[in-house]
């Protein structure tokens, strides 16, 4: 079998969640545990953690599934209007037909319009609808796969990173070139240090792209405008494609913080499609909507050579199309109800509730971690995660080594067994040698999150005491 | 960029449909043409050709999208029951959550039960839900990718074949080993000739798998039980994995013909999971349901080494999950309403209408082709396609060569320009050197199909006359 598949690792669904599922089964079977239920804080799945879907989105997709519903007095008129418009935009025989592989033009136009803001234009021809950002990112990485030996494609990925990147690079036999985010500086990117890494990497491969995740996963940072400018300038100069994972752009919590799109910042500093190539990714799974299960997303391929874009388009056709139900959801996201529409008020309330609750938890979580001696957590600017560093006693590290486990895996597993709380060890995302972290989502509801923080403090103190002479 | 992507070809969405779309746009702009509308007979997309969706499926999925609908008196009770059962089976927070990467256990159990028939058991652990058969097939081919030079994986594909196979093999840099279906013998597989091809291929690569498409695409054949047995025995002996594309198994039209599952036939002749590996694929897009736009399917991986299966499972987790809306549709397909259920009568009527209409068209289409001198068409046993051979005059072939086109592409393009009917040239699927074919679906409604056949006869005669001295 394919040895690249054997080599690939995907920690978010790795040993911790597998054990957590087993524990859940054991609980169901009546096995006694020091906890009553599992808190799955390992995966960014808002609805699984109790977040409610956005009514407007679901009404529109239900109406597209079964257009007969338009004849009943069940849905507001703007829902019916939107469903009719989408069914005609998808073309063919409705939602059950294949749609255009790139995404139906009408739907891409809506995406483009949501990106255009007067100062920055977006061309619907640059937009590709896809089955979640994962699908888009994998197919773009596949596109730039190239050459052998020193000509083998290298891709710069942040450390820590979302393991989709390392897993996909391994799977495709591309070279992962690691650059470190600066934990002491709010997880910013240091362009000078990226440059020396690129220089060194050129001895063994050809760096062709740089991945940025902003807001950050697992780090929860939001890059400053200045930082984004620096990166864009650097990549333009070095001819590196920017793979901009911007799926958390709706999730900004820190006061005064703002999301800066890599593509728009590039334009603002005078870089056009001939100066830089930026692939940006967006997803229905994150933001305030959290519609993971529909597998919907889009990418904007800005500045891509038209010949290459045509090849990419051809390549996408062999996948036929992404789910139309997902494309419907995506359309509602980029073009939500406007003030005056029948569904607006409810929509705005639902959206605000989710974002306010996340904002509230974001500050509480980092504060709680920072109040514990030995734990340090950067401010959660955005996304859905905290990535605190934890100090582990020397004897705990030895015990982990004896158990042939990364020390943070050893810690997280023990935490899970004692509290029923599932987080992901930092080693699954990468971290500076000798440091230890874990990633937790901030998605469990306020009460569960509180239970989490209390249990963590208690467990961590006992763990440290146990392994300290 | 990746040169394998440059090399790959995907005829079903190639030059013909692109030109047909342009013609549709020109018609809309009021440009005069010798026809009023385009008939897209190039792609197996039933709903786009006017086939109506199955009410029960759509009601269930709408109910899962917006569970509030269960409180209205809009849907029958069995729809509500099914939706509740599925929402609890998917787990998490309903259809908006990620579900298990392999497919939720409850849903896989329903799939397994639909395959089990008393004589043949199916293990839910062998079932993987996926985003249409395409997704499944690509990931299995990726799994068996292996080695360099003489150890490079070779995959036997029929000629003619569905271009997904050649495109994916090119993309993954695997060796396509072509074996010919026997047109004079109802497109059967000749195992002796396969064997000599395997022997010869071993000089330059390692054949590891054999693709079979049954019922056939583009050929519309249904293999005899005897033929299936021969293939299974041969693959078991030679250690070849069978990639059984069985997405058209519901579409059998010829009287007395029956679909034979490769896996079940293997069991019947005494071959178990230690004797043979068979990956079978099924899709929501075909059959009587034609739900292409939901991107739903499943695969059964029978006899796969457990270690490899675990690696495959891990690999699938990096895709998170397939669309839950699609999984809901798939569940309705494998577990449709039963006699006595509120929705049964309507369901049975809808299903029968579709299959009867296809059966009717299948015989009319092959008869009409065979009534034309110079055209020959095997009986359409199943699937959704006819693949007639056409005799082309020598001067037409020369004209095609001057135009740097395959002769059948030249013919199909001329047919399109004159009639507005879009079919796919045989060269896109592969054919014996010196023969020419095209593939048409039998999906246009009876009236359109009639218009097609009349227009074809007229055009073909004129075309032959024009290029005959």
């Amino acid at each position: 079998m394919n040895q690249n598949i054997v080599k690939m690792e995907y920690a978010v669904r790795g040993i911790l969640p597998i054990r957590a599922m087993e524990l859940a089964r054991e609980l169901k079977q009546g096995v006694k545990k020091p906890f009553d239920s599992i808190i799955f804080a390992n995966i960014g799945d808002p609805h699984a953690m109790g977040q409610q879907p956005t009514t407007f989105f679901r009404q529109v997709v239900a109406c597209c599934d079964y257009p007969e519903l338009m004849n009943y007095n069940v849905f507001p008129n703007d829902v019916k209007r939107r469903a009719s418009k989408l069914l005609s935009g998808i073309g063919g025989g409705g939602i059950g037909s294949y749609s255009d592989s790139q995404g139906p033009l009408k739907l891409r136009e809506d995406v483009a319009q949501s990106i255009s803001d007067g100062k920055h234009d977006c061309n619907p021809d640059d937009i590709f609808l896809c089955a979640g950002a994962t699908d888009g990112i994998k197919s773009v990485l596949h596109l730039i796969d190239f050459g052998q030996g020193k000509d083998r494609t290298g891709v710069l990925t942040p450390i820590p990173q979302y393991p989709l990147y390392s897993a996909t690079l391994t799977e495709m036999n591309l070279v992962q070139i690691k650059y470190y985010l600066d934990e002491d500086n709010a997880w910013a990117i240091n362009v000078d240090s990226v440059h020396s890494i690129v220089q060194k990497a050129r001895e063994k491969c050809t760096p062709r792209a740089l991945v940025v995740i902003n807001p950050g996963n697992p780090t929860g940072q939001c890059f400053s405008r200045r930082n984004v400018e620096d990166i864009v300038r650097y990549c333009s100069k070095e001819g590196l494609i920017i793979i901009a994972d911007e799926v958390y752009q709706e999730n900004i919590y820190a006061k005064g913080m703002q999301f800066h799109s890599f593509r728009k910042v590039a334009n603002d500093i005078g870089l056009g499609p001939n100066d830089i190539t930026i692939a940006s990714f967006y997803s229905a799974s994150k933001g305030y909507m959290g519609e993971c299960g529909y597998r919907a997303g889009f990418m904007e391929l800005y500045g891509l050579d038209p010949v290459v874009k045509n090849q990419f388009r051809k390549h996408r056709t062999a996948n036929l199309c992404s789910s139309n139900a997902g494309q419907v959801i995506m359309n509602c996201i980029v073009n939500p109800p406007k003030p005056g529409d029948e569904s607006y008020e409810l929509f705005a309330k639902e959206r605000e509730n989710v974002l306010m609750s996340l904002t509230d938890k974001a500050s509480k979580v980092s504060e709680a971690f920072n109040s514990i001696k030995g734990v340090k957590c950067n401010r959660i600017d955005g996304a859905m995660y905290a990535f605190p560093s934890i100090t582990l006693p020397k004897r705990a590290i030895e015990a982990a080594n004896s158990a042939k486990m990364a020390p943070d895996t050893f810690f997280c597993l023990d935490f899970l067994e004692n509290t029923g709380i599932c987080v992901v060890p930092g080693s699954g995302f990468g971290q500076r040698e000798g440091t230890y972290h874990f990633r937790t989502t901030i998605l469990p509801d306020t009460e569960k999150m509180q239970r989490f923080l209390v249990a963590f403090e208690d467990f961590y103190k006992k763990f440290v005491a146990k392994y300290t002479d």
Side-chain angles (χ1 to χ4, degrees), chain A residues 300-311:
Chain A
E300 182 188 15
L301 301 184
Y302 179 82
L304 191 65
D305 180 314
V307 175
V308 177
K309 191 156 75 174
N310 267 335
Q311 292 293 342

Side-chain angles (χ1 to χ4, degrees), chain A residues 223-359:
Chain A
F223 292 137
S224 70
R225 162 92 192 196
R226 176 63 192 276
N227 207 194
V228 174
E229 277 184 22
D230 289 348
I231 299 159
V232 167
R233 239 182 235 112
Y234 177 73
C235 290
S236 170
K237 201 180 97 210
E238 299 288 331
L240 294 169
I241 297 168
I242 297 181
I243 311 269
D245 181 337
E246 302 179 328
V247 300
Y248 296 100
Q249 59 187 271
E250 306 268 347
N251 300 89
I252 306 281
Y253 313 119
K255 264 208 185 114
M257 266 294 166
Q258 213 189 317
F259 165 72
H260 298 286
S261 139
F262 275 84
R263 202 272 274 179
K264 289 186 178 176
V265 168
N267 294 168
D268 290 346
I269 60 172
L271 298 174
N274 295 321
D275 309 310
I276 192 153
T277 301
I278 303 180
S280 343
F281 300 89
Y282 189 64
S283 168
S285 306
K286 310 302 172 185
Y288 62 91
M289 47 283 181
E291 293 286 12
C292 308
Y294 285 94
R295 316 304 304 119
F298 68 80
M299 49 192 153
E300 182 188 15
L301 301 184
Y302 179 82
L304 191 65
D305 180 314
V307 175
V308 177
K309 191 156 75 174
N310 267 335
Q311 292 293 342
F312 185 70
R313 195 174 281 128
K314 179 190 72 181
H315 179 231
R316 297 285 301 174
T317 62
N319 285 329
L320 302 169
C321 68
S322 46
S323 151
N324 288 332
Q327 303 202 358
V328 165
I329 293 274
M330 187 42 85
N331 184 269
C332 294
I333 293 168
V334 299
N335 188 9
K338 308 258 173 310
D341 293 349
E342 292 92 323
S343 299
Y344 178 73
E345 225 169 293
L346 178 62
F347 165 76
K349 205 180 88 191
E350 289 174 338
R351 181 177 185 281
E352 204 190 332
N353 281 350
V354 173
L355 290 176
M356 270 181 40
S357 155
L358 287 170
T359 303

Side-chain angles (χ1 to χ4, degrees), chain A residues 21-178:
Chain A
M21 299 284 276
E22 283 170 10
L23 286 171
R25 267 195 297 277
E26 290 176 21
L27 279 177
K28 232 178 180 172
Q29 290 157 0
V31 181
K32 275 267 175 263
K33 298 278 165 195
F35 45 84
D36 300 326
S37 64
I38 307 291
I39 297 180
F40 286 95
N42 59 299
I43 191 152
D45 184 344
H47 294 193
M49 292 290 96
Q51 183 181 308
Q52 290 307 300
T54 309
T55 304
F56 177 77
F57 301 173
R58 296 301 192 88
Q59 290 179 333
V60 172
V61 72
C63 230
C64 289
D65 286 328
Y66 190 61
E68 185 73 14
L69 283 168
M70 296 195 219
N71 302 328
Y72 290 86
N73 197 15
V74 175
F75 293 146
N77 284 323
D78 58 344
V79 167
K80 298 181 192 177
R81 279 197 307 272
R82 176 64 62 89
S84 299
K85 196 182 144 196
L86 282 171
L87 288 174
S88 107
I90 288 172
I95 202 171
S97 294
Y98 293 120
S99 54
D100 185 279
S101 302
Q102 187 174 351
L105 179 61
K106 293 275 179 214
L107 277 69
R108 285 188 280 119
E109 283 172 350
D110 280 357
V111 170
Q113 207 177 341
S114 77
I115 294 174
S116 301
D117 57 12
K119 252 177 86 188
H120 312 86
D121 273 344
C122 174
N123 182 351
D125 195 56
D126 288 348
I127 300 296
F128 288 74
L129 296 176
C130 49
T134 298
D135 168 36
I137 290 164
K138 286 180 108 168
S139 70
V140 167
L141 288 176
H142 190 48
L143 182 73
I144 60 174
D145 175 7
F146 195 134
Q148 297 286 324
K150 268 188 76 170
D151 201 31
R152 204 168 139 216
T153 293
V155 177
L156 288 131
T157 64
I159 295 294
Q161 52 112 29
Y162 178 56
L164 165 68
Y165 295 98
S166 49
T168 305
L169 297 176
T170 306
E171 183 190 336
M172 295 183 182
N173 202 24
L174 299 170
V175 183
Q176 183 188 6
I177 309 167
K178 300 175 183 182

Side-chain angles (χ1 to χ4, degrees), chain A residues 41 365 369 384-388 423-424 438-442 449 452:
Chain A
V365 167
F369 283 134
M384 301 172 166
Y385 312 102
F387 196 66
V423 296
V424 188
F438 63 89
R439 186 190 81 167
T440 176
T441 72
I442 57 168
M449 208 69 235
F452 176 124

